[in-house]
Amino acid sequence: MSVHIGAKKGEIAETILLPGDPLRAKFIAENYLEDVKQYNNVRGMYGFTGTYKGKKVSTQGTGMGMPSLSIYVNELIRDYGVKNLIRVGSCGSFNEEAQVRDVILAKAACSNSNLNKMRFDGKDFAAAASFKLLSKAYQVAQKQGTEVKVGTILSSDAFYNDNSDAWKKWREYGVLAVEMESAELFTLAAKYGVDALSILTVSDSLVTGNETSSEEREKTFTDMMEIALELAE
Ligand SMILES: O=P(O)(O)O[C@H]1O[C@H](CO)[C@@H](O)[C@H]1O
Ligand SMILES: O=c1cc[nH]c(=O)[nH]1
């Protein structure tokens, strides 16, 4: 057991799907995995291991924001030997090109967070996805007939922003969408020499104002789940 995860050694697979929402982890386990065992309930942050097409896969909620994800990802890698970490999250689109329900493969994540400023003494770190997982996910999506957009995203510390136009600066530089975890996920993967990717579904558009409900965000973003599950080794 680690501080925040109640699993025994060997109970978590080398490939793990990481939604922010623990109920999305439960949905994945109940709808896609066979021989499922729930290994974590600490703080209600569910974690499950099962098999998908015969391959061992886990799924674990990370909570919202980089400080929360950082706790789970540090423990998953250091204490449980996880090697392929695939975030399956929702995001808000900055760009007409990415509409509600579209799937984005994040190749890199900008951030307004202080985490890497602390790590690197105020200098910048280029938080990027694993090319191995990114290229494989792109091929899987093509095979499954799911159109994906590959681009840069923003990992933000804030969901609600006092400056309602702040996102436009990021759009000017080609950033596709905002979420709250990937920059820390990519940074930790680089530190520990493992592979990480974020597959995101657009839950709302800052451009059009279109949005989905919390239940839709929990249960219906299945295209990204199906791409992620195929990445199990
Ligand atoms: O749907 P999840 O994976 O939680 O991701 C997004 O949704 C949450 C905000 O509603 C943040 O965690 C953000 O990154
Ligand atoms: O607008 C959004 C949607 C999902 N996640 C975010 O962080 N922002």
Side-chain angles (χ1 to χ4, degrees), residues 87 89-94 154-156 158-160 177-181 201-206 217:
R87 171 163 152 70
S90 63
C91 66
S93 171
F94 289 168
L154 168 67
S155 297
S156 177
F159 185 82
Y160 298 108
V178 60
E179 50 83 90
M180 299 177 67
E181 293 84 13
T201 303
V202 177
S203 55
D204 55 274
S205 168
L206 282 80
R217 293 173 198 211

Tab-separated table of all heavy atoms in Angstrom, residues 87 89-94 154-156 158-160 177-181 201-206 217, ligand 2:
chain	number	residue	atom	x	y	z
A	87	ARG	N	-3.951	9.452	-19.795
A	87	ARG	CA	-5.057	10.236	-19.247
A	87	ARG	C	-6.220	10.186	-20.226
A	87	ARG	O	-6.027	10.325	-21.443
A	87	ARG	CB	-4.595	11.681	-19.013
A	87	ARG	CG	-5.699	12.616	-18.659
A	87	ARG	CD	-5.225	13.903	-18.034
A	87	ARG	NE	-6.176	14.973	-18.305
A	87	ARG	CZ	-7.404	15.061	-17.775
A	87	ARG	NH1	-7.827	14.148	-16.924
A	87	ARG	NH2	-8.198	16.066	-18.084
A	89	GLY	N	-9.424	12.320	-20.420
A	89	GLY	CA	-10.043	13.446	-19.746
A	89	GLY	C	-10.996	14.248	-20.609
A	89	GLY	O	-11.122	14.021	-21.811
A	90	SER	N	-11.648	15.209	-19.976
A	90	SER	CA	-12.475	16.157	-20.720
A	90	SER	C	-11.706	17.470	-20.830
A	90	SER	O	-10.755	17.716	-20.079
A	90	SER	CB	-13.814	16.375	-19.998
A	90	SER	OG	-13.606	16.955	-18.729
A	91	CYS	N	-12.099	18.290	-21.798
A	91	CYS	CA	-11.398	19.569	-21.990
A	91	CYS	C	-12.347	20.588	-22.605
A	91	CYS	O	-13.372	20.235	-23.186
A	91	CYS	CB	-10.161	19.380	-22.876
A	91	CYS	SG	-10.534	18.899	-24.568
A	92	GLY	N	-11.967	21.854	-22.474
A	92	GLY	CA	-12.724	22.947	-23.081
A	92	GLY	C	-11.987	23.436	-24.322
A	92	GLY	O	-10.792	23.726	-24.258
A	93	SER	N	-12.693	23.528	-25.445
A	93	SER	CA	-12.030	23.874	-26.710
A	93	SER	C	-11.881	25.382	-26.890
A	93	SER	O	-12.790	26.153	-26.600
A	93	SER	CB	-12.840	23.309	-27.878
A	93	SER	OG	-12.326	23.809	-29.077
A	94	PHE	N	-10.700	25.769	-27.424
A	94	PHE	CA	-10.396	27.167	-27.728
A	94	PHE	C	-10.615	27.467	-29.205
A	94	PHE	O	-10.372	28.587	-29.641
A	94	PHE	CB	-8.902	27.442	-27.500
A	94	PHE	CG	-8.477	27.459	-26.059
A	94	PHE	CD1	-7.127	27.447	-25.749
A	94	PHE	CD2	-9.390	27.522	-25.023
A	94	PHE	CE1	-6.693	27.481	-24.441
A	94	PHE	CE2	-8.958	27.555	-23.711
A	94	PHE	CZ	-7.607	27.537	-23.416
A	154	LEU	N	-3.495	23.322	-23.065
A	154	LEU	CA	-3.109	24.070	-21.868
A	154	LEU	C	-3.562	23.293	-20.633
A	154	LEU	O	-4.727	22.898	-20.550
A	154	LEU	CB	-3.786	25.452	-21.866
A	154	LEU	CG	-3.700	26.240	-20.552
A	154	LEU	CD1	-2.250	26.641	-20.253
A	154	LEU	CD2	-4.584	27.492	-20.617
A	155	SER	N	-2.646	23.082	-19.693
A	155	SER	CA	-3.025	22.532	-18.384
A	155	SER	C	-3.083	23.702	-17.420
A	155	SER	O	-2.051	24.312	-17.102
A	155	SER	CB	-1.997	21.505	-17.915
A	155	SER	OG	-1.956	20.422	-18.802
A	156	SER	N	-4.288	24.002	-16.969
A	156	SER	CA	-4.499	25.202	-16.154
A	156	SER	C	-4.695	24.854	-14.682
A	156	SER	O	-5.256	23.811	-14.359
A	156	SER	CB	-5.733	25.939	-16.682
A	156	SER	OG	-6.006	27.063	-15.866
A	158	ALA	N	-6.589	26.747	-12.918
A	158	ALA	CA	-7.913	27.285	-12.567
A	158	ALA	C	-8.967	26.824	-13.565
A	158	ALA	O	-8.736	26.842	-14.774
A	158	ALA	CB	-7.860	28.808	-12.559
A	159	PHE	N	-10.105	26.402	-13.068
A	159	PHE	CA	-11.253	26.107	-13.930
A	159	PHE	C	-12.029	27.403	-14.178
A	159	PHE	O	-12.479	27.665	-15.282
A	159	PHE	CB	-12.147	25.067	-13.244
A	159	PHE	CG	-13.299	24.609	-14.089
A	159	PHE	CD1	-13.128	23.619	-15.054
A	159	PHE	CD2	-14.567	25.164	-13.926
A	159	PHE	CE1	-14.192	23.192	-15.844
A	159	PHE	CE2	-15.632	24.745	-14.703
A	159	PHE	CZ	-15.451	23.753	-15.672
A	160	TYR	N	-12.158	28.193	-13.134
A	160	TYR	CA	-12.830	29.497	-13.247
A	160	TYR	C	-11.786	30.597	-13.243
A	160	TYR	O	-10.894	30.603	-12.396
A	160	TYR	CB	-13.807	29.692	-12.081
A	160	TYR	CG	-14.907	28.657	-12.070
A	160	TYR	CD1	-14.937	27.654	-11.115
A	160	TYR	CD2	-15.891	28.663	-13.056
A	160	TYR	CE1	-15.931	26.693	-11.124
A	160	TYR	CE2	-16.892	27.693	-13.075
A	160	TYR	CZ	-16.911	26.721	-12.111
A	160	TYR	OH	-17.887	25.776	-12.133
A	177	ALA	N	-7.002	23.461	-26.649
A	177	ALA	CA	-8.009	23.260	-25.591
A	177	ALA	C	-7.367	23.350	-24.209
A	177	ALA	O	-6.141	23.283	-24.077
A	177	ALA	CB	-8.647	21.880	-25.763
A	178	VAL	N	-8.229	23.468	-23.200
A	178	VAL	CA	-7.751	23.549	-21.810
A	178	VAL	C	-8.279	22.380	-20.979
A	178	VAL	O	-9.430	21.975	-21.117
A	178	VAL	CB	-8.168	24.896	-21.159
A	178	VAL	CG1	-9.690	25.064	-21.132
A	178	VAL	CG2	-7.606	25.053	-19.760
A	179	GLU	N	-7.392	21.854	-20.144
A	179	GLU	CA	-7.758	20.911	-19.077
A	179	GLU	C	-6.848	21.204	-17.904
A	179	GLU	O	-6.262	22.291	-17.862
A	179	GLU	CB	-7.708	19.453	-19.576
A	179	GLU	CG	-6.453	19.042	-20.282
A	179	GLU	CD	-5.327	18.624	-19.379
A	179	GLU	OE1	-5.219	17.442	-19.052
A	179	GLU	OE2	-4.509	19.519	-19.040
A	180	MET	N	-6.711	20.268	-16.943
A	180	MET	CA	-6.039	20.673	-15.708
A	180	MET	C	-4.962	19.704	-15.182
A	180	MET	O	-4.548	19.839	-14.037
A	180	MET	CB	-7.105	20.912	-14.611
A	180	MET	CG	-8.096	22.007	-14.972
A	180	MET	SD	-9.401	22.236	-13.753
A	180	MET	CE	-8.489	22.867	-12.368
A	181	GLU	N	-4.528	18.736	-15.998
A	181	GLU	CA	-3.591	17.734	-15.448
A	181	GLU	C	-2.390	17.351	-16.314
A	181	GLU	O	-1.354	16.905	-15.791
A	181	GLU	CB	-4.351	16.419	-15.124
A	181	GLU	CG	-5.350	16.504	-13.995
A	181	GLU	CD	-6.705	17.022	-14.426
A	181	GLU	OE1	-6.939	17.087	-15.662
A	181	GLU	OE2	-7.518	17.398	-13.569
A	201	THR	N	-11.564	14.440	-24.617
A	201	THR	CA	-12.793	14.688	-25.367
A	201	THR	C	-13.269	16.093	-25.033
A	201	THR	O	-13.277	16.489	-23.852
A	201	THR	CB	-13.887	13.669	-24.984
A	201	THR	OG1	-13.379	12.362	-25.217
A	201	THR	CG2	-15.151	13.874	-25.819
A	202	VAL	N	-13.665	16.825	-26.051
A	202	VAL	CA	-14.134	18.198	-25.836
A	202	VAL	C	-15.503	18.151	-25.154
A	202	VAL	O	-16.482	17.658	-25.722
A	202	VAL	CB	-14.212	18.976	-27.166
A	202	VAL	CG1	-14.768	20.380	-26.925
A	202	VAL	CG2	-12.849	19.035	-27.841
A	203	SER	N	-15.547	18.643	-23.909
A	203	SER	CA	-16.803	18.632	-23.146
A	203	SER	C	-17.556	19.945	-23.307
A	203	SER	O	-18.763	20.017	-23.073
A	203	SER	CB	-16.517	18.403	-21.663
A	203	SER	OG	-15.595	19.369	-21.189
A	204	ASP	N	-16.826	21.013	-23.690
A	204	ASP	CA	-17.475	22.309	-23.885
A	204	ASP	C	-16.579	23.174	-24.760
A	204	ASP	O	-15.383	22.932	-24.864
A	204	ASP	CB	-17.728	22.988	-22.533
A	204	ASP	CG	-16.472	23.118	-21.713
A	204	ASP	OD1	-16.142	22.159	-20.994
A	204	ASP	OD2	-15.805	24.151	-21.819
A	205	SER	N	-17.207	24.144	-25.396
A	205	SER	CA	-16.442	25.020	-26.285
A	205	SER	C	-16.477	26.439	-25.754
A	205	SER	O	-17.561	27.008	-25.542
A	205	SER	CB	-17.048	24.981	-27.688
A	205	SER	OG	-16.490	26.019	-28.468
A	206	LEU	N	-15.286	27.016	-25.537
A	206	LEU	CA	-15.238	28.414	-25.096
A	206	LEU	C	-15.599	29.338	-26.256
A	206	LEU	O	-15.927	30.499	-26.046
A	206	LEU	CB	-13.852	28.756	-24.546
A	206	LEU	CG	-13.599	28.252	-23.122
A	206	LEU	CD1	-13.221	26.781	-23.088
A	206	LEU	CD2	-12.556	29.067	-22.407
A	217	ARG	N	-20.182	13.590	-19.381
A	217	ARG	CA	-18.718	13.587	-19.201
A	217	ARG	C	-18.266	12.297	-18.511
A	217	ARG	O	-17.163	11.820	-18.731
A	217	ARG	CB	-18.280	14.818	-18.389
A	217	ARG	CG	-18.501	16.113	-19.136
A	217	ARG	CD	-18.237	17.368	-18.302
A	217	ARG	NE	-18.882	18.522	-18.936
A	217	ARG	CZ	-18.455	19.765	-18.893
A	217	ARG	NH1	-17.365	20.072	-18.218
A	217	ARG	NH2	-19.109	20.746	-19.494
B	2	LIG	O1	-13.571	24.083	-19.871
B	2	LIG	C1	-13.055	23.077	-19.369
B	2	LIG	C2	-13.567	21.793	-19.590
B	2	LIG	C3	-12.969	20.733	-19.029
B	2	LIG	N1	-11.884	20.940	-18.274
B	2	LIG	C4	-11.367	22.170	-18.062
B	2	LIG	O2	-10.367	22.306	-17.367
B	2	LIG	N2	-11.968	23.200	-18.615
